[in-house]
Amino acid sequence: MTDFSCSWLEGSCVEEVESLRVPDFHGETRPGICVWLKDFLQDITYLSEYSLGKPELAPRGLCANSCSPGSRKQTRPGEPECCFDCVPCHDGDISNVTDALFCTKCPLEYWSNELRTECLLKEIEFLSFSDGMGATLAGFAVGGACLTIATIVVFYNYRHTPLVRANNSELSFIILFSLGLCFLCALTFIASPSHWSCVLRFTVFGVTFAMCLSGILGKTIVVLMAFKARYPQNNAMRWFTPNRQRMGVLILTLIQFAICIFWVIDSPPYPFKNSSYYAHILSLECQVGSNVYFWVVFIVIFLLTGITLVFAFFARKLPDTFNEATHITFSLIIFCAVWITFFPVYASAPEKYAASVHVFAILASSFSLLLCIFAPKCYIILFKPQLNSRKLLLTFSTS
């Protein structure tokens, strides 16, 4: 029998006699028992080092290497588990370990880096005062409010003159007050959306425009009825006394106010984080809460606009010095054009640009009403005082 020995101190077997072979069950020969023990002990040492925190010594697959962070393992159909492909993680998913079985999706406020190994904060987008677009719109809003205040001051200082009194000064002050609020409500669209800013931007907008258009409707009806009252036995003006004019404006405004109150109670607007437009940008926006209330508010505004436009169109050919109908007609045409073009853009644009379009529509329609209705009168009061006389007004009104 051939003799052999093992060198255990060196951690390996050294076979003394190379020719030793041990037959297996099939009659074939295999390496000596010491060589078999050597391989067995090496495997045990290899696995124990891996279990003690040495992943670099982990067993490798027979036909695939390890997958690096930023990818995941995907087994090949019909092949052993050690055969796999390394699939890169999709955008918004990461894996930060070797041989990851799956990728982890980043939270809503985060996005994956280029290597897909780390989640980074998304860029936040909203219409802000520090933004060039937001600062420009805010400047126009404040400028419009200041111009409205200046108009109120002019009308108040000249409230006893024939031109101001002939055009129903009380309704003029109501319209100017509501226009000032219209300009200021545009500022609620410029800032990071919050619960209160989302509620205010839609409700204040609806109520202030309803008040403004109700006042313009009252002025138009008064102008039309005043000239019809010139005919004998026409008592139309007794139905449009100053108290009834104010009551009409109040009732129409309260209808819109009630709709907004129900809106806030039932399904109020709320802030929302939207990443559907751009994957790496988080858009902060205000959801309307209820589309029904949103459209009802606009329907009230457009009904007031349409009725006022009809009355103003019929009264447009009355004497110019006494009549505002021509200017009201032109301002309402601009008003309608602005808001008709507003809806398609608003429905398809991301929040930053949708808010910009909304603010632009508010400012454009407010400026059209302010400049078309009140600028000609301010020009006469300040630069053509000779036209601001009762005799001249009576001359035009009887011509």
Side-chain angles (χ1 to χ4, degrees), residues 65-354:
N65 293 326
S66 297
C67 293
S68 61
S71 61
R72 63 178 178 85
K73 294 168 63 175
Q74 181 175 346
T75 57
R76 300 171 185 171
E79 297 189 20
E81 293 185 0
C82 59
C83 296
F84 52 84
D85 295 319
C86 296
V87 180
C89 294
H90 296 294
D91 290 341
D93 297 344
I94 64 164
S95 69
N96 52 11
V97 295
T98 304
D99 287 335
L101 297 179
F102 56 87
C103 297
T104 305
K105 190 173 184 62
C106 292
L108 177 64
E109 295 83 1
Y110 293 83
W111 190 249
S112 58
N113 60 357
E114 293 184 0
L115 298 178
R116 309 291 189 269
T117 58
E118 185 181 2
C119 291
L120 305 177
L121 275 172
K122 290 182 180 180
E123 179 183 348
I124 304 298
E125 182 182 69
F126 59 91
L127 186 63
S128 65
F129 290 100
S130 59
D131 183 56
M133 185 185 303
T136 302
L137 293 173
F140 276 104
V142 174
C146 293
L147 189 60
T148 304
I149 294 173
T151 306
I152 292 175
V153 171
V154 170
F155 268 62
Y156 182 78
N157 290 333
Y158 293 89
R159 64 187 181 279
H160 299 300
T161 60
L163 183 60
V164 176
R165 296 182 63 185
N167 288 280
N168 200 323
S169 59
E170 290 186 1
L171 288 180
S172 296
F173 286 118
I174 292 175
I175 295 170
L176 288 170
F177 173 73
S178 59
L179 279 175
L181 294 179
C182 290
F183 283 114
L184 293 179
C185 83
L187 298 177
T188 61
F189 291 80
I190 308 174
S192 177
S194 63
H195 173 72
W196 286 108
S197 67
C198 290
V199 170
L200 289 175
R201 68 170 56 179
F202 293 108
T203 56
V204 174
F205 157 76
V207 173
T208 54
F209 268 91
M211 182 189 298
C212 178
L213 292 169
S214 299
I216 296 174
L217 176 60
K219 285 177 73 72
T220 308
I221 293 176
V222 168
V223 170
L224 192 60
M225 293 299 104
F227 282 92
K228 287 186 175 296
R230 294 170 52 196
Y231 299 102
Q233 298 180 350
N234 192 322
N235 298 321
M237 279 305 297
R238 71 177 182 176
W239 298 103
F240 295 95
T241 61
N243 289 334
R244 291 184 177 180
Q245 295 168 23
R246 291 190 294 269
M247 186 62 65
V249 173
L250 179 62
I251 291 174
L252 293 174
T253 305
L254 286 178
I255 291 174
Q256 186 78 301
F257 181 76
I259 294 172
C260 293
I261 291 296
F262 284 119
W263 186 1
V264 173
I265 294 175
D266 184 30
S267 181
Y270 60 91
F272 179 73
K273 297 176 180 178
N274 193 346
S275 58
S276 60
Y277 296 106
Y278 308 105
H280 62 286
I281 297 178
L282 190 65
S283 179
L284 304 183
E285 61 184 42
C286 285
Q287 293 288 328
V288 296
S290 172
N291 289 323
V292 174
Y293 288 107
F294 176 80
W295 285 109
V296 168
V297 166
F298 271 99
I299 288 172
V300 172
I301 291 175
F302 278 111
L303 280 177
L304 291 173
T305 304
I307 295 172
T308 306
L309 186 58
V310 170
F311 280 109
F313 179 80
F314 286 127
R316 73 190 186 283
K317 293 184 178 181
L318 298 177
D320 291 338
T321 307
F322 188 79
N323 179 28
E324 295 178 292
T326 302
H327 301 147
I328 290 174
T329 302
F330 185 68
S331 66
L332 291 178
I333 290 174
I334 298 175
F335 184 94
C336 293
V338 168
W339 286 105
I340 289 173
T341 57
F342 157 79
F343 288 106
V345 180
Y346 180 80
S348 59
E351 170 59 18
K352 178 179 179 179
Y353 303 101

